[in-house]
Amino acid sequence: MSERAAVKRRFGHRARLALSPARVRKADDQAHAARTMWNLLHAWWRMMPKEKRTLANADAAIRQAREDIDFLAVLPAQAAQAVLKTYFQAWKNCWEGRAGAPDFKGRVRTVMSVDVPQGRDLNIVRVHRRWGMVNLPKIGRVRFRWTKDLPVGKRANGENRITGARLIRDVLGWHIAFRIQTLEVQPEPHHGPDVGIDVGVTVPIALSDGETYEHGEWLTDKEQAKLLDLEQRAARRKQHRKPGEHTSRRLHRTYDQIAGLRAKAKRRALDWQHQTTTAIARTYGTVVVEALTITNMVKSAKGTVDQPGRNVAQKSGLNRAISGEAWGRTVIMLTYKTVRRGGTLHKVPAPGTSLRCSACGFTTPGSRESQAVFACKNPDCGWAGNADHNAARNVLHLYRMGLALIPAAGRAVVRRAKRVKPATAR
């Protein structure tokens, strides 16, 4: 055993379930029963005086409800207890200021889910290179996509095991999210090179060493044409709906088809982000990114009635492109993946990185000739190159100058490192 300390790691893994139509109905019934149980608990909470709002009284109330309402019997008893614990935890989060107060869950907008608190009830077995089998209470033995090695069978022990799961339904069908606990040896320091990263819309990720990571459209031409047709169809059907009238089933089906295509695009984007960030975390020991305030970057340009905005349509398109690239999610992935491999991630101030020359360090008007070309207008320099790589080199240089940001009292402050690397190492 290595002398390095072992750390306990908890994470989740989501896999797609292969359910028959009959089992899909069973899972739907359980999810609706769990939502009904939540609403009954919330109604009980609002009705009871404060001194009687205890966990024991709530447990007695849901037990009585399961006896009186036949529909709730389809929900496993442990799943009902999980609803109770989740509800009380929601109030605790509200009292501690981490979330708002719990409310009733509607049938349409609520994510359908069922909790399986005990991992030992799952009885997971791998039966094929691509498929595994899992036991779901009151549903039966079902298949799921095996895309990650799980601590099951001989690999499972007190420290490496699956502690539970949750069934979740989205527009692409039912999935299972495993809760996994592992004991891993703390990684050795990553001795890979330093790299600065510049994120953008035209070039999603550009590195300071000249490497770029790009992607195409998330949907094929045929899928894009179908999405456009569905959106136009939904707009036409929506015009015939009177104010206050319920949405028709046809329109609901159209919305579901639109949501399915968008979910497919998001799944492909997530896969690309995971592969890209994993490759960066494996190669580089120190990753430096810009501290971007994305919420300010995607604000609308409509303005007010007295002072209307300019180029509103262009700004709206840019906002959609920025949101589609999900820069914040990329940074989150890089953060935990670099730590798991012994590396580090740092953030530096963002202003001026794309306008400053990485060769001479001066900012001169007109140097950013286009989206892709940077040509320094300093007479003593005259350096020219790719604009994205120039910005990534500036990001790395700010870190090597000791200008790294650390959170302090809810805000970012500049930290000047004690050890400064020479500027020639850029």
Side-chain angles (χ1 to χ4, degrees):
M1 178 65 70
S2 174
E3 296 182 356
R4 288 175 286 137
V7 293
K8 186 177 293 186
R9 177 171 170 252
R10 293 185 178 92
F11 61 98
H13 171 65
R14 184 164 171 166
R16 178 165 55 90
L17 290 172
L19 299 179
S20 63
R23 287 174 173 172
V24 168
R25 288 193 295 270
K26 289 182 179 181
D28 291 346
D29 291 341
Q30 289 191 15
H32 287 305
R35 179 184 57 84
T36 304
M37 183 70 71
W38 175 283
N39 292 338
L40 290 175
L41 273 172
H42 191 58
W44 174 88
W45 180 277
R46 297 176 61 180
M47 181 180 61
M48 286 289 124
K50 290 185 177 180
E51 61 274 9
K52 293 186 178 181
R53 296 174 180 172
T54 63
L55 188 63
N57 291 340
D59 181 61
I62 65 171
R63 290 177 184 273
Q64 186 64 38
R66 286 172 56 83
E67 295 179 1
D68 298 339
I69 305 175
D70 295 337
F71 173 69
L72 298 179
V74 300
L75 186 67
Q78 291 183 347
Q81 291 295 321
V83 174
L84 174 62
K85 294 179 181 179
T86 304
Y87 183 78
F88 270 73
Q89 183 62 41
W91 275 114
K92 184 178 179 181
N93 295 338
C94 175
W95 295 332
E96 295 177 356
R98 295 195 298 267
D103 202 353
F104 290 103
K105 291 187 176 181
R107 183 182 181 88
V108 177
R109 294 182 177 88
T110 302
V111 177
M112 300 178 65
S113 63
V114 182
D115 199 79
V116 185
Q118 300 295 334
R120 62 173 179 268
D121 297 336
L122 298 173
N123 192 17
I124 301 171
V125 177
R126 186 174 186 177
V127 296
H128 188 264
R129 183 172 62 90
R130 295 183 177 180
W131 293 96
M133 296 289 290
V134 59
N135 183 59
L136 303 180
K138 293 194 175 184
I139 294 179
R141 197 86 175 144
V142 298
R143 295 190 306 162
F144 69 93
R145 290 286 292 180
W146 191 282
T147 56
K148 183 181 181 65
D149 289 336
L150 302 175
V152 297
K154 296 181 179 180
R155 298 182 56 188
N157 51 50
E159 300 295 342
N160 301 280
R161 58 194 175 93
I162 295 177
T163 60
R166 175 174 287 270
L167 307 181
I168 304 171
R169 181 170 186 175
D170 58 13
V171 294
L172 299 178
W174 278 99
H175 297 72
I176 183 169
F178 297 106
R179 294 189 289 268
I180 305 172
Q181 173 185 300
T182 60
L183 189 66
E184 300 178 355
V185 177
Q186 193 171 6
E188 296 180 352
H190 197 305
H191 299 293
D194 303 344
V195 68
I197 295 180
D198 176 69
V199 293
V201 175
T202 305
V203 178
I205 296 179
L207 306 185
S208 57
D209 59 1
E211 186 73 23
T212 58
Y213 292 91
E214 302 182 41
H215 60 77
E217 297 291 338
W218 302 126
L219 296 177
T220 63
D221 294 340
K222 187 176 180 179
E223 291 170 339
Q224 291 181 18
K226 183 179 179 181
L227 178 60
L228 178 60
D229 179 68
L230 290 171
E231 290 175 341
Q232 293 174 347
R233 188 187 309 174
R236 289 194 302 268
R237 289 176 176 173
K238 190 175 180 181
Q239 290 178 351
H240 298 286
R241 189 180 62 177
K242 298 178 182 179
E245 186 179 1
H246 289 290
T247 304
S248 66
R249 292 185 178 180
R250 283 185 178 182
L251 187 54
H252 268 304
R253 284 196 294 269
T254 305
Y255 284 154
D256 290 341
Q257 290 177 298
I258 293 173
L261 285 173
R262 291 176 176 172
K264 185 180 292 186
K266 182 179 179 181
R267 185 174 60 180
R268 292 170 181 171
L270 276 170
D271 180 67
W272 179 85
Q273 281 185 308
H274 274 295
Q275 293 189 32
T276 303
T277 53
T278 299
I280 294 174
R282 285 175 178 172
T283 306
Y284 303 97
T286 301
V287 179
V288 188
V289 298
E290 297 174 291
L292 298 174
T293 308
I294 302 176
T295 53
N296 294 341
M297 298 175 65
V298 296
K299 283 186 177 180
S300 175
K302 290 183 179 180
T304 61
V305 177
D306 299 332
Q307 296 180 348
R310 300 175 60 185
N311 299 326
V312 178
Q314 293 85 338
K315 185 62 168 66
S316 299
L318 177 61
N319 291 348
R320 286 193 297 270
I322 293 175
S323 300
E325 292 299 333
W327 297 336
R329 190 167 61 204
T330 299
V331 174
I332 292 174
M333 291 181 180
L334 283 173
T335 302
Y336 73 81
K337 289 182 180 182
T338 52
V339 171
R340 286 188 59 194
R341 290 164 175 80
T344 56
L345 183 137
H346 302 274
K347 294 183 179 181
V348 296
T353 54
S354 61
L355 303 177
R356 188 183 305 115
C357 177
S358 60
C360 64
F362 285 94
T363 302
T364 53
S367 295
R368 186 71 180 264
E369 294 185 349
S370 65
Q371 179 66 28
V373 178
F374 184 94
C376 183
K377 301 302 181 182
N378 183 8
D380 299 331
C381 178
W383 180 86
N386 183 273
D388 298 308
H389 297 318
N390 175 74
R393 293 176 62 187
N394 285 326
V395 169
L396 180 59
H397 181 62
L398 289 176
Y399 164 72
R400 289 177 170 174
M401 290 295 293
L403 300 176
L405 297 178
I406 57 173
R411 57 187 177 89
V413 298
V414 178
R415 175 186 62 185
R416 186 170 292 277
K418 296 181 180 179
R419 179 175 175 269
V420 179
K421 296 185 178 181
T424 55
R426 282 185 290 172

